[in-house]
Each structure stands twice: as structure tokens, then as C-alpha cells.
Coordinates of all heavy atoms in Angstrom, one line a residue:
M9 N -21.9 44.9 253.8 CA -21.4 43.6 253.3 C -19.9 43.9 252.8 O -19.7 44.8 252.1 CB -22.2 43.2 252.1 CG -21.8 41.9 251.5 SD -22.9 41.4 250.1 CE -21.8 41.6 248.7
S10 N -19.0 43.1 253.3 CA -17.6 43.3 252.9 C -17.4 42.6 251.5 O -18.0 41.6 251.2 CB -16.7 42.7 253.9 OG -16.9 41.3 254.0
K11 N -16.5 43.2 250.8 CA -16.2 42.6 249.5 C -15.5 41.3 249.6 O -14.5 41.2 250.4 CB -15.3 43.7 248.7 CG -15.0 43.3 247.3 CD -16.2 43.4 246.4 CE -15.8 43.1 245.0 NZ -17.0 43.0 244.1
S12 N -15.9 40.3 248.8 CA -15.3 39.0 249.0 C -14.4 38.6 247.8 O -13.9 37.5 247.8 CB -16.4 38.0 249.1 OG -17.3 38.0 248.0
W13 N -14.3 39.5 246.8 CA -13.5 39.2 245.6 C -12.8 40.4 245.1 O -13.5 41.4 244.7 CB -14.3 38.6 244.5 CG -13.6 38.2 243.3 CD1 -13.2 39.0 242.2 CD2 -13.2 36.9 242.9 NE1 -12.6 38.3 241.3 CE2 -12.5 37.0 241.6 CE3 -13.3 35.6 243.5 CZ2 -12.0 35.9 241.0 CZ3 -12.8 34.5 242.8 CH2 -12.1 34.7 241.6
Y14 N -11.5 40.5 245.2 CA -10.8 41.6 244.6 C -9.3 41.2 244.5 O -8.8 40.3 245.1 CB -10.9 42.9 245.5 CG -10.5 42.7 246.9 CD1 -9.2 42.9 247.3 CD2 -11.5 42.3 247.9 CE1 -8.9 42.8 248.7 CE2 -11.1 42.1 249.2 CZ -9.8 42.4 249.6 OH -9.4 42.2 250.9
P15 N -8.6 41.9 243.6 CA -7.2 41.6 243.3 C -6.2 42.0 244.4 O -6.4 43.1 245.0 CB -6.9 42.3 242.0 CG -7.8 43.4 242.0 CD -9.1 43.0 242.7
V16 N -5.2 41.2 244.5 CA -4.1 41.6 245.4 C -2.8 41.4 244.6 O -2.6 40.4 243.9 CB -4.0 40.7 246.7 CG1 -2.8 41.0 247.5 CG2 -5.3 40.8 247.5
I17 N -2.0 42.4 244.6 CA -0.8 42.4 243.8 C 0.5 42.0 244.6 O 0.7 42.6 245.7 CB -0.5 43.7 243.1 CG1 -1.7 44.0 242.1 CG2 0.8 43.7 242.3 CD1 -1.7 45.4 241.6
D18 N 1.2 41.1 244.1 CA 2.5 40.7 244.7 C 3.6 41.7 244.1 O 4.0 41.4 243.0 CB 2.8 39.3 244.5 CG 4.1 38.8 245.2 OD1 4.9 39.7 245.5 OD2 4.3 37.6 245.3
Y19 N 4.0 42.7 244.9 CA 4.9 43.7 244.3 C 6.3 43.1 244.2 O 7.1 43.7 243.5 CB 4.9 44.9 245.2 CG 3.6 45.7 245.0 CD1 2.7 45.7 246.1 CD2 3.3 46.4 243.9 CE1 1.5 46.4 245.9 CE2 2.1 47.1 243.7 CZ 1.2 47.1 244.8 OH 0.0 47.8 244.6
S20 N 6.6 42.0 244.8 CA 7.9 41.4 244.6 C 8.0 40.8 243.2 O 9.1 40.5 242.7 CB 8.1 40.3 245.7 OG 7.4 39.1 245.4
L21 N 6.8 40.5 242.5 CA 6.8 40.0 241.2 C 6.5 41.0 240.1 O 6.9 40.9 239.0 CB 5.8 38.8 241.1 CG 6.0 37.6 242.0 CD1 4.8 36.7 241.9 CD2 7.3 36.9 241.6
C22 N 5.7 42.0 240.5 CA 5.2 43.0 239.5 C 6.3 43.7 238.8 O 7.3 44.1 239.4 CB 4.3 44.0 240.2 SG 3.7 45.3 239.2
K23 N 6.2 43.7 237.4 CA 7.1 44.4 236.6 C 6.6 45.8 236.1 O 7.2 46.4 235.2 CB 7.4 43.5 235.3 CG 8.0 42.1 235.7 CD 9.3 42.2 236.5 CE 9.8 40.8 236.8 NZ 10.8 40.9 237.9
E24 N 5.5 46.2 236.7 CA 5.0 47.5 236.4 C 4.7 47.7 234.9 O 4.9 48.8 234.3 CB 5.9 48.6 236.9 CG 6.1 48.5 238.4 CD 7.1 49.5 238.9 OE1 7.8 50.2 238.1 OE2 7.1 49.7 240.1
C25 N 4.1 46.7 234.2 CA 3.9 46.7 232.8 C 2.6 47.5 232.5 O 2.4 48.0 231.4 CB 3.8 45.3 232.2 SG 2.2 44.5 232.7
G26 N 1.7 47.7 233.5 CA 0.5 48.5 233.3 C -0.7 47.7 232.7 O -1.7 48.3 232.5
A27 N -0.5 46.4 232.4 CA -1.6 45.7 231.8 C -2.8 45.6 232.6 O -3.9 45.7 232.1 CB -1.1 44.3 231.4
C28 N -2.7 45.4 233.9 CA -3.8 45.3 234.8 C -4.6 46.6 234.8 O -5.8 46.7 234.7 CB -3.5 44.8 236.1 SG -2.2 45.8 236.9
F29 N -3.8 47.7 235.0 CA -4.4 49.0 235.1 C -5.1 49.4 233.9 O -6.2 49.9 233.9 CB -3.2 50.0 235.4 CG -3.7 51.4 235.4 CD1 -4.3 52.0 236.5 CD2 -3.5 52.2 234.3 CE1 -4.7 53.3 236.5 CE2 -4.0 53.5 234.2 CZ -4.6 54.1 235.4
N30 N -4.5 49.1 232.7 CA -5.1 49.4 231.4 C -6.3 48.5 231.1 O -7.2 48.9 230.4 CB -4.1 49.3 230.3 CG -3.0 50.3 230.4 OD1 -3.3 51.4 230.8 ND2 -1.8 50.0 230.0
K31 N -6.4 47.3 231.6 CA -7.4 46.4 231.4 C -8.7 46.7 232.1 O -9.8 46.7 231.5 CB -7.0 45.0 231.7 CG -8.1 43.9 231.6 CD -8.5 43.7 230.2 CE -9.5 42.6 230.1 NZ -10.0 42.5 228.7
C32 N -8.6 47.0 233.3 CA -9.8 47.1 234.1 C -10.5 48.5 233.9 O -9.9 49.5 234.1 CB -9.5 47.0 235.6 SG -11.1 46.9 236.6
K33 N -11.8 48.4 233.6 CA -12.5 49.6 233.3 C -13.4 50.0 234.5 O -14.3 50.9 234.4 CB -13.4 49.5 232.0 CG -12.6 49.0 230.8 CD -11.5 50.0 230.5 CE -10.8 49.5 229.2 NZ -9.4 50.2 229.1
N34 N -13.3 49.3 235.6 CA -14.2 49.5 236.7 C -13.6 50.4 237.8 O -14.2 50.4 238.9 CB -14.6 48.1 237.3 CG -15.4 47.3 236.3 OD1 -15.9 47.9 235.3 ND2 -15.5 46.0 236.5
G35 N -12.4 51.0 237.6 CA -11.9 51.9 238.6 C -11.2 51.2 239.8 O -11.0 51.8 240.8
V36 N -11.0 49.9 239.6 CA -10.4 49.1 240.7 C -8.9 49.6 241.0 O -8.5 49.7 242.1 CB -10.4 47.6 240.4 CG1 -9.6 46.8 241.5 CG2 -11.8 47.1 240.3
Y37 N -8.2 49.9 239.9 CA -6.8 50.3 240.0 C -6.6 51.8 239.8 O -7.3 52.4 239.0 CB -6.0 49.6 238.9 CG -5.9 48.1 239.1 CD1 -6.6 47.2 238.3 CD2 -5.0 47.5 240.0 CE1 -6.5 45.8 238.4 CE2 -4.9 46.2 240.1 CZ -5.6 45.3 239.3 OH -5.5 44.0 239.4
E38 N -5.6 52.3 240.5 CA -5.0 53.6 240.1 C -3.6 53.3 239.9 O -3.0 52.4 240.5 CB -5.2 54.6 241.2 CG -6.5 55.3 241.1 CD -6.7 56.5 242.1 OE1 -5.7 56.8 242.7 OE2 -7.8 57.0 242.2
K39 N -3.0 54.1 239.1 CA -1.5 54.0 238.8 C -0.8 55.1 239.6 O -1.1 56.3 239.5 CB -1.3 54.2 237.3 CG 0.0 53.7 236.9 CD 0.0 53.9 235.4 CE 1.0 53.1 234.6 NZ 0.8 53.3 233.2
K40 N 0.0 54.7 240.6 CA 0.8 55.6 241.4 C 2.2 55.5 241.0 O 2.8 54.4 241.3 CB 0.5 55.4 242.8 CG -1.0 55.4 243.2 CD -1.3 56.0 244.5 CE -2.8 56.3 244.6 NZ -3.3 56.2 245.9
E41 N 2.8 56.5 240.4 CA 4.0 56.4 239.6 C 3.8 55.2 238.7 O 2.9 55.2 237.9 CB 5.2 56.2 240.6 CG 5.3 57.5 241.5 CD 6.5 57.5 242.4 OE1 7.1 56.4 242.6 OE2 6.7 58.6 243.0
N42 N 4.5 54.2 238.7 CA 4.3 53.0 237.8 C 3.6 51.9 238.5 O 3.4 50.8 237.9 CB 5.6 52.6 237.2 CG 6.0 53.6 236.1 OD1 5.2 54.1 235.4 ND2 7.3 53.8 236.0
H43 N 3.3 52.0 239.8 CA 2.7 50.9 240.5 C 1.2 50.9 240.3 O 0.5 51.9 240.6 CB 3.0 51.1 242.0 CG 4.4 51.1 242.4 ND1 5.3 50.1 242.3 CD2 5.1 52.2 242.9 CE1 6.5 50.5 242.7 NE2 6.4 51.7 243.1
P44 N 0.6 49.7 240.0 CA -0.8 49.6 240.0 C -1.2 49.4 241.5 O -0.7 48.5 242.2 CB -1.1 48.3 239.2 CG 0.2 47.5 239.4 CD 1.3 48.5 239.6
V45 N -2.2 50.2 241.9 CA -2.7 50.1 243.3 C -4.2 49.8 243.3 O -4.9 50.5 242.6 CB -2.4 51.4 244.1 CG1 -2.9 51.4 245.5 CG2 -0.9 51.7 244.0
V46 N -4.6 48.9 244.1 CA -6.0 48.6 244.2 C -6.6 49.6 245.1 O -6.4 49.6 246.4 CB -6.2 47.1 244.8 CG1 -7.7 46.9 245.0 CG2 -5.6 46.1 243.8
V47 N -7.4 50.5 244.5 CA -8.0 51.6 245.3 C -9.5 51.5 245.5 O -10.1 52.1 246.3 CB -7.7 53.0 244.7 CG1 -6.2 53.3 244.7 CG2 -8.2 53.0 243.2
Y48 N -10.1 50.6 244.6 CA -11.6 50.5 244.7 C -11.9 49.0 244.5 O -12.5 48.6 243.5 CB -12.2 51.3 243.6 CG -13.7 51.3 243.5 CD1 -14.5 51.5 244.6 CD2 -14.3 51.1 242.3 CE1 -15.9 51.5 244.6 CE2 -15.7 51.1 242.2 CZ -16.5 51.3 243.4 OH -17.8 51.2 243.3
P49 N -11.7 48.2 245.5 CA -12.0 46.8 245.4 C -13.4 46.5 245.2 O -13.8 45.5 244.6 CB -11.5 46.2 246.8 CG -11.3 47.4 247.7 CD -11.0 48.6 246.8
D50 N -14.3 47.4 245.6 CA -15.8 47.1 245.4 C -16.1 47.1 243.9 O -17.2 46.6 243.6 CB -16.6 48.2 246.1 CG -16.7 48.0 247.6 OD1 -16.1 46.9 248.1 OD2 -17.3 48.8 248.3
G51 N -15.3 47.7 243.1 CA -15.6 47.7 241.6 C -15.2 46.4 241.0 O -15.6 46.2 239.8
C52 N -14.5 45.5 241.6 CA -14.1 44.3 241.0 C -15.3 43.3 240.9 O -16.2 43.3 241.8 CB -13.0 43.6 241.8 SG -12.3 42.2 241.0
V53 N -15.4 42.6 239.8 CA -16.5 41.7 239.6 C -16.2 40.3 240.0 O -15.2 39.7 239.6 CB -16.9 41.7 238.1 CG1 -18.0 40.7 237.8 CG2 -17.2 43.1 237.6
E54 N -17.0 39.8 240.9 CA -16.7 38.5 241.4 C -16.6 37.4 240.3 O -17.5 37.4 239.4 CB -17.9 38.0 242.4 CG -17.6 36.7 243.0 CD -18.1 36.5 244.4 OE1 -18.6 37.5 245.0 OE2 -18.0 35.4 245.0
G55 N -15.5 36.7 240.4 CA -15.3 35.7 239.3 C -14.5 36.1 238.2 O -14.0 35.3 237.4
C56 N -14.3 37.4 238.0 CA -13.5 38.0 236.9 C -12.0 37.7 237.1 O -11.5 37.9 238.2 CB -13.7 39.5 236.8 SG -12.8 40.2 235.4
H57 N -11.3 37.2 236.1 CA -9.9 37.0 236.1 C -9.2 37.8 235.0 O -8.1 37.5 234.6 CB -9.6 35.5 235.9 CG -9.9 34.6 237.0 ND1 -11.2 34.1 237.2 CD2 -9.1 34.1 238.0 CE1 -11.2 33.3 238.3 NE2 -10.0 33.3 238.8
G58 N -9.9 38.9 234.6 CA -9.4 39.6 233.4 C -8.0 40.2 233.6 O -7.2 40.0 232.7
C59 N -7.7 40.8 234.7 CA -6.4 41.4 234.8 C -5.3 40.3 235.1 O -4.2 40.3 234.6 CB -6.4 42.4 235.9 SG -7.1 42.0 237.5
Q60 N -5.7 39.3 235.9 CA -4.8 38.2 236.2 C -4.4 37.5 234.9 O -3.2 37.1 234.8 CB -5.5 37.2 237.1 CG -4.6 36.0 237.6 CD -5.3 35.0 238.4 OE1 -6.3 34.4 237.9 NE2 -5.0 34.8 239.6
N61 N -5.3 37.3 234.0 CA -5.0 36.6 232.8 C -4.0 37.4 231.9 O -3.3 36.8 231.1 CB -6.3 36.3 232.0 CG -7.2 35.3 232.6 OD1 -6.7 34.5 233.4 ND2 -8.4 35.2 232.2
L62 N -3.9 38.7 232.1 CA -3.0 39.5 231.3 C -1.6 39.7 232.0 O -0.7 40.1 231.3 CB -3.6 40.9 231.1 CG -4.8 40.9 230.1 CD1 -5.3 42.3 230.0 CD2 -4.3 40.4 228.7
C63 N -1.6 39.4 233.3 CA -0.3 39.7 234.0 C 0.8 38.7 233.5 O 0.6 37.5 233.6 CB -0.5 39.6 235.5 SG 1.0 39.9 236.4
P64 N 1.9 39.2 233.0 CA 2.9 38.3 232.4 C 3.7 37.6 233.5 O 4.5 36.7 233.1 CB 3.8 39.3 231.6 CG 3.6 40.6 232.3 CD 2.2 40.7 232.8
V65 N 3.6 38.0 234.7 CA 4.4 37.4 235.7 C 3.7 36.7 236.9 O 4.3 36.3 237.9 CB 5.4 38.4 236.3 CG1 6.4 38.9 235.3 CG2 4.7 39.6 236.9
G66 N 2.4 36.6 236.7 CA 1.6 35.9 237.8 C 1.6 36.6 239.1 O 1.5 36.0 240.1
A67 N 1.5 38.0 239.0 CA 1.6 38.7 240.3 C 0.2 39.0 240.9 O 0.1 39.6 242.0 CB 2.3 40.1 240.0
I68 N -0.9 38.6 240.2 CA -2.2 39.0 240.7 C -2.9 37.7 241.2 O -3.1 36.7 240.5 CB -3.0 39.6 239.6 CG1 -2.3 40.9 239.1 CG2 -4.4 39.9 240.1 CD1 -3.0 41.6 237.9
Q69 N -3.4 37.8 242.4 CA -4.2 36.8 243.0 C -5.5 37.5 243.5 O -5.5 38.7 243.5 CB -3.6 36.1 244.2 CG -2.2 35.4 243.8 CD -2.4 34.3 242.8 OE1 -3.4 33.5 242.9 NE2 -1.5 34.1 241.9
Y70 N -6.5 36.7 243.8 CA -7.8 37.3 244.3 C -8.1 36.8 245.6 O -8.1 35.6 245.9 CB -8.9 37.0 243.3 CG -8.7 37.5 241.9 CD1 -8.2 36.7 240.9 CD2 -8.9 38.8 241.6 CE1 -7.9 37.2 239.7 CE2 -8.7 39.3 240.3 CZ -8.1 38.5 239.4 OH -7.9 39.0 238.1
V71 N -8.5 37.8 246.5 CA -9.2 37.4 247.7 C -10.5 36.7 247.3 O -11.2 37.2 246.5 CB -9.5 38.6 248.6 CG1 -10.4 38.3 249.7 CG2 -8.2 39.2 249.1
G72 N -10.7 35.5 247.8 CA -11.9 34.8 247.6 C -11.8 33.8 246.5 O -12.8 33.0 246.2
D73 N -10.7 33.7 245.8 CA -10.5 32.8 244.6 C -10.1 31.4 245.2 O -9.0 31.3 245.7 CB -9.5 33.4 243.7 CG -9.4 32.5 242.4 OD1 -10.1 31.6 242.2 OD2 -8.5 32.9 241.6
T74 N -10.9 30.5 244.9 CA -10.5 29.1 245.3 C -10.4 28.2 244.1 O -10.2 27.0 244.2 CB -11.5 28.5 246.2 OG1 -12.8 28.5 245.6 CG2 -11.6 29.3 247.6
T75 N -10.6 28.8 242.9 CA -10.7 28.0 241.7 C -9.4 28.0 240.9 O -9.3 27.3 239.9 CB -11.8 28.6 240.8 OG1 -11.5 29.9 240.4 CG2 -13.1 28.6 241.5
G76 N -8.4 28.8 241.2 CA -7.3 28.9 240.3 C -7.5 29.8 239.1 O -8.5 30.5 239.1
K77 N -6.6 29.7 238.1 CA -6.7 30.6 237.0 C -7.5 30.0 235.9 O -7.1 29.6 234.8 CB -5.2 30.8 236.5 CG -5.0 32.0 235.6 CD -3.6 32.2 235.3 CE -3.4 33.3 234.3 NZ -2.0 33.5 234.0
D78 N -8.8 30.1 236.1 CA -9.8 29.6 235.1 C -10.3 30.7 234.3 O -10.3 31.9 234.6 CB -10.9 28.9 235.8 CG -10.5 27.7 236.6 OD1 -9.5 27.0 236.2 OD2 -11.1 27.5 237.7
D79 N -10.9 30.3 233.1 CA -11.7 31.3 232.4 C -12.9 31.7 233.2 O -13.5 30.8 233.8 CB -12.2 30.7 231.0 CG -11.0 30.5 230.1 OD1 -10.0 31.2 230.2 OD2 -11.2 29.7 229.2
C80 N -13.1 33.0 233.3 CA -14.2 33.4 234.3 C -15.5 33.3 233.7 O -16.5 33.0 234.4 CB -13.9 34.7 234.8 SG -14.2 36.1 233.7
G81 N -15.7 33.7 232.4 CA -17.1 33.7 231.8 C -18.0 34.6 232.5 O -19.2 34.4 232.4
C82 N -17.5 35.6 233.1 CA -18.4 36.5 233.9 C -19.1 37.5 233.0 O -20.1 38.2 233.4 CB -17.7 37.2 235.0 SG -16.6 38.5 234.4
G83 N -18.6 37.7 231.8 CA -19.2 38.7 230.9 C -18.9 40.1 231.1 O -19.6 41.0 230.6
C84 N -18.0 40.4 232.0 CA -17.7 41.8 232.3 C -16.6 42.3 231.3 O -16.9 42.5 230.1 CB -17.4 42.1 233.7 SG -15.7 41.8 234.2
C85 N -15.5 42.5 231.8 CA -14.4 43.1 230.9 C -13.3 42.2 230.6 O -12.2 42.6 230.2 CB -13.9 44.4 231.7 SG -13.3 44.0 233.3
C86 N -13.5 40.9 230.7 CA -12.4 39.9 230.5 C -12.1 39.9 229.0 O -12.8 39.5 228.2 CB -12.8 38.6 230.9 SG -13.1 38.5 232.7
Ligands
LIG22 S1 -10.7 41.0 238.0 FE1 -11.8 42.0 236.4 S2 -13.1 43.5 237.4 FE2 -11.5 42.9 238.9 S3 -9.9 44.3 238.8 FE3 -9.4 42.7 237.3 S4 -10.2 43.2 235.3 FE4 -11.1 44.6 236.9
LIG23 S1 -0.2 43.1 234.9 FE1 1.1 42.2 236.5 S2 3.2 42.9 236.1 FE2 1.8 44.2 234.9 S3 1.5 46.0 236.3 FE3 -0.2 44.5 236.7 S4 0.6 43.2 238.4 FE4 2.3 44.3 237.6

């Protein structure tokens, strides 16, 4: 089964603040130099917007997201 929900970062917007990397406890991100890199998309929880909600520049979107920037209510790490 392929993963249907995971973050994608727009590096043209990212300011390398580290908020997404520091927020997610599921191993989705690794920090390479100062860039957050999605290395484990399978760890992302479907419906979670935790890192997107913290991103100050709107650089995070999700594959599979059709709802926009809503409160997720998923109960994971938001
Ligand atoms: S959406 Fe949630 S689970 Fe997915 S990478 Fe962001 S904080 Fe982690
Ligand atoms: S929270 Fe946004 S600006 Fe900060 S490192 Fe992540 S993608 Fe970049």
C-alpha cells in the first residue's frame, strides 16, 4: 500500500526555522544541514497538520490533503 498522506516542502518558501523538524516525533523529517527533508513519509499520520500549522511561511503541503489548513483532531502530535 502506498502512503497517501505525507508532507511536501516548498524549498522556495522554507526559511529553515526547524519548527517542522522539531515538532514531528514520528521520524518523518531529518535535518540535513538546515534543510528539513522528508525521509520517512510512512511515519506521517493521515489527517495530521501539526507541522504545517507551525510553519511560519506556509511551505508545507500534504500529498492527499483536499481539506486545506484545518484543525486535524487526529490525536497524534499536533
Ligand atoms: S503532519 Fe504530523 S505526523 Fe506528519 S510530519 Fe507533520 S507533525 Fe509529523
Ligand atoms: S517549519 Fe516551514 S519554514 Fe520552518 S523549516 Fe519547516 S518548512 Fe521550513
Side-chain angles (χ1 to χ4, degrees):
M9 182 177 111
S10 63
K11 186 69 180 174
S12 58
W13 180 279
Y14 56 90
V16 177
I17 297 172
D18 183 342
Y19 290 107
S20 72
L21 297 175
C22 177
K23 301 302 181 196
E24 302 180 342
C25 72
C28 55
F29 175 81
N30 291 329
K31 174 66 177 175
C32 187
K33 306 305 182 194
N34 294 343
V36 174
Y37 293 104
E38 274 187 11
K39 199 175 195 175
K40 303 215 168 152
E41 298 184 346
N42 285 324
H43 302 291
V45 178
V46 177
V47 294
Y48 181 47
D50 283 358
C52 189
V53 176
E54 182 148 354
C56 181
H57 289 83
C59 51
Q60 184 187 62
N61 286 343
L62 288 178
C63 180
V65 294
I68 299 174
Q69 302 296 324
Y70 300 97
V71 168
D73 186 4
T74 59
T75 62
K77 196 173 176 181
D78 298 327
D79 290 337
C80 75
C82 72
C84 84
C85 54
C86 296

